[in-house]
Amino acid sequence: MINTTATIAGVSFKNPIVMASGTFGFGREYGRLYDVSLLGGISGKGLTLHAKAGNPGIRVYETPSGMLNSVGLENPGVEAFLAKELPYWETLDTARIVNLGGNTLADYVLGAELIQRDADARLLAGKPAVDMIELNISCPNVKEGGIAFGIKTPAAQEVVRAVRAATSLPLAVKLSPNAEDIAEMAVMCEAEGADAVSLINTISGMKIDVRRRRSVFNNLYAGLSGPAIKPVALRMVHQVSRRVTIPVIGMGGITSATDIIEFIMAGATIIQVGTYNFMNLRAGSTLVEELQQFMEEENISSLDEIRGIV
Amino acid sequence: MATVISNERLAEGVYHLVVEGGNSGEMGQFYMLRAWGAYPLLSRPLSIHQVNDNGVEFLYHIVGEGTEILAGLNPGDPVELEGPFGTGFPQVEGKVALVGGGIGIAPLYYCAQKLPRSDIYLGFSREPFRTEAFRPLAAELTVDVGGLILDSVDFSAYDHIFVCGPHPMLKAAQLKGIALDTAGKRPDVYLSLENRMACGIGACLVCSVSCKDGQRKACADGPVFLAEEVLFHD
């Protein structure tokens, strides 16, 4: 019997496959194509306190084995999410992770407080609540906030500390590969009471339209994701998992069961799948099946056997 | 997995792809197509040209690596189809004009089948294509090469106008509709928008369209929008 389960801060994941924020909406759209309850979890579209319209102009551009995105955190805002999307999440049997972004420290704290209050009310009513907050201090595509908090450790520390104080929900902090020192950032998160760190977010990149002599993106730079960034992500997961004792959620260009196993061997407890959702709209069900098969073939009875062995 | 039945070159860079496999879809909807492995990363959204009992047909022009690969497909080759997706043109009553510019004529053929005896206007900057296929379906067929096809359309003569074409043409159609609005005789003008997409199903928010009531998704809320709803920023 193969055991694919994992636990982070009391939240159990039936398998290590979680859909990454920004690539899966709130799950509804993919839910029409396959049963998303077979996933380990869903990290919803990044939320900010108030709704955001996102960036104008071109929002996606393909690169060799990757893509640049400049969506700019378009989202309905925390309150609209709680009212309109969480009832759908109630119907799912999978871990529910809210990805929370912000422009200012106050926005992060107010967002976390709203989510906490809603979770308390739901628990009282015996309804499923949000299982975990994933704090996004690393979105490179918003002009204010976001990445500004994610590069320098002292700025990040302030946010993590304030949000930790605002919520008792399990807290993962999503780190940026653009951080000055991602391992130092992770150590800080652990010290501030984070229950996990997830990495990596997209890598800041650029594409120039040579005929028009300008960046294709209104915001100049955009976030690179997809298989192109996998080696960098894997290295960072390996480095970080050796410096912290809290679980590491690994992501970056995963498109196969062997990619998942690589991240687990590098030290990740669970992983997230992002861009692959666009390459294969049934990525979640494909990977759940492939992972099971691979573990059978390789006689791996539990992910604990191989976690961090490299 | 679907199979290529034929992939015929119609004009410079323009192809007519017939695929056996998918056999559903409404006018103005699209499929996500893929005939390669990991790269290019994203599938390509192509509007439905026609649906028949066995399969689905597309018209496309080569704009990048994905469509370049599609152009190299031969009968018997496999192709991945996901769809049909999107909200297409409405089934309407009354006098209808179908107005297409260049490859924008692609979704209008299926409209012409579903709304027979519509007036059809097809505009091309260079070599025209597929015009004779439209002729038997049209009450009247107008073809223009090198001009502006919208100039041939009397907006006040129609109850509904479906437009698909390049961005400036869509914007011009919206303005013509709005001008009539103030003049009193107002057709419903529907625009089929083309936008970059990643997922095609409404999850990634790459294809957002600014509308009067906020941000909407070209892939799920569209690609067809009522012209007056869309805010063109450029």
Side-chain angles (χ1 to χ4, degrees), chain A residues 55 69-70 72-73 136-143 145-148 176-178 201-205 219 221-224:
Chain A
N55 292 334
N69 93 78
S70 180
L73 271 183
N136 178 8
I137 55 167
S138 47
C139 180
N141 296 326
V142 288
K143 280 196 170 146
I147 190 74
S176 167
N178 308 306
N201 206 321
T202 55
I203 300 177
S204 184
N219 255 7
Y221 308 136
L224 179 67

Side-chain angles (χ1 to χ4, degrees), chain A residues 33-53:
Chain A
L33 299 172
Y34 66 94
D35 177 12
V36 296
S37 285
L38 55 80
L39 298 168
I42 295 173
S43 179
K45 171 72 193 153
L47 296 172
T48 46
L49 181 61
H50 302 295
K52 261 178 105 78

Side-chain angles (χ1 to χ4, degrees), chain A residues 29 59 62-63 74 282, chain B residues 41-42 44 82 205 208:
Chain A
E29 293 81 9
R59 288 184 170 192
E62 283 172 289
T63 69
E74 177 177 339
R282 292 173 173 78
Chain B
L41 208 79
L42 304 174
R44 295 298 190 262
E82 286 281 9
L205 308 187
S208 273

Side-chain angles (χ1 to χ4, degrees), chain A residues 9-31:
Chain A
V11 180
S12 54
F13 297 84
K14 66 181 76 159
N15 60 56
I17 300 165
V18 173
M19 296 295 116
S21 181
T23 63
F24 209 67
F26 297 104
R28 277 179 206 274
E29 293 81 9
Y30 292 91

Side-chain angles (χ1 to χ4, degrees), chain B:
Chain B
M1 194 65 83
T3 306
V4 174
I5 301 298
S6 65
N7 190 26
E8 186 194 350
R9 183 185 175 280
L10 300 183
E12 179 66 41
V14 177
Y15 288 76
H16 179 197
L17 174 67
V18 182
V19 172
E20 191 175 49
N23 59 1
S24 62
E26 302 298 327
M27 48 183 175
Q29 286 191 304
F30 66 95
Y31 277 84
M32 297 295 282
L33 278 85
R34 192 173 185 95
W36 50 84
Y39 184 73
L41 208 79
L42 304 174
S43 302
R44 295 298 190 262
L46 293 186
S47 64
I48 295 169
H49 184 58
Q50 182 183 200
V51 173
N52 57 48
D53 290 342
N54 297 322
V56 56
E57 303 184 15
F58 305 95
L59 283 193
Y60 62 95
H61 69 157
I62 300 175
V63 288
E65 287 167 90
T67 40
E68 185 86 53
I69 295 171
L70 290 181
L73 292 175
N74 292 308
D77 286 344
V79 58
E80 287 175 51
L81 282 186
E82 286 281 9
F85 296 135
T87 306
F89 291 105
Q91 185 72 42
V92 293
E93 311 244 319
K95 197 157 164 41
V96 177
L98 307 177
V99 190
I103 200 65
I105 72 168
L108 300 183
Y109 187 67
Y110 199 32
C111 298
Q113 288 183 321
K114 297 269 187 179
L115 300 166
R117 311 311 297 163
S118 301
D119 287 346
I120 301 176
Y121 299 84
L122 307 177
F124 303 88
S125 54
R126 291 190 296 273
E127 194 184 353
F129 49 87
R130 273 301 263 179
T131 52
E132 289 316 301
F134 279 86
R135 192 174 297 281
L137 303 172
E140 205 165 315
L141 176 69
T142 306
V143 177
D144 178 275
V145 181
L148 295 173
I149 189 66
L150 277 177
D151 290 348
S152 307
V153 187
D154 175 6
F155 271 42
S156 67
Y158 297 98
D159 299 306
H160 306 279
I161 302 175
F162 293 179
V163 188
C164 185
H167 191 89
M169 177 178 165
L170 298 180
K171 202 173 157 183
Q174 182 196 48
L175 292 175
K176 272 189 101 162
I178 289 169
L180 268 185
D181 197 6
T182 53
K185 174 80 171 85
R186 178 176 172 277
D188 287 328
V189 180
Y190 290 92
L191 308 178
S192 178
L193 270 54
E194 193 182 62
N195 212 340
R196 284 168 178 269
M197 295 178 185
C199 69
I201 58 172
C204 69
L205 308 187
V206 156
C207 67
S208 273
V209 176
S210 295
C211 289
K212 276 184 183 164
D213 61 351
Q215 296 292 102
R216 303 185 73 188
K217 303 164 186 175
C219 66
D221 301 318
V224 175
F225 293 90
L226 202 52
E228 64 209 49
E229 297 294 326
V230 179
L231 300 174
F232 288 106
H233 291 299
D234 51 349

Side-chain angles (χ1 to χ4, degrees), chain A residues 107-123:
Chain A
D107 281 0
Y108 277 107
V109 171
L110 288 170
E113 284 173 352
L114 280 174
I115 294 162
Q116 179 70 50
R117 220 173 297 151
D118 180 84
D120 290 343
R122 282 175 171 275
L123 287 173

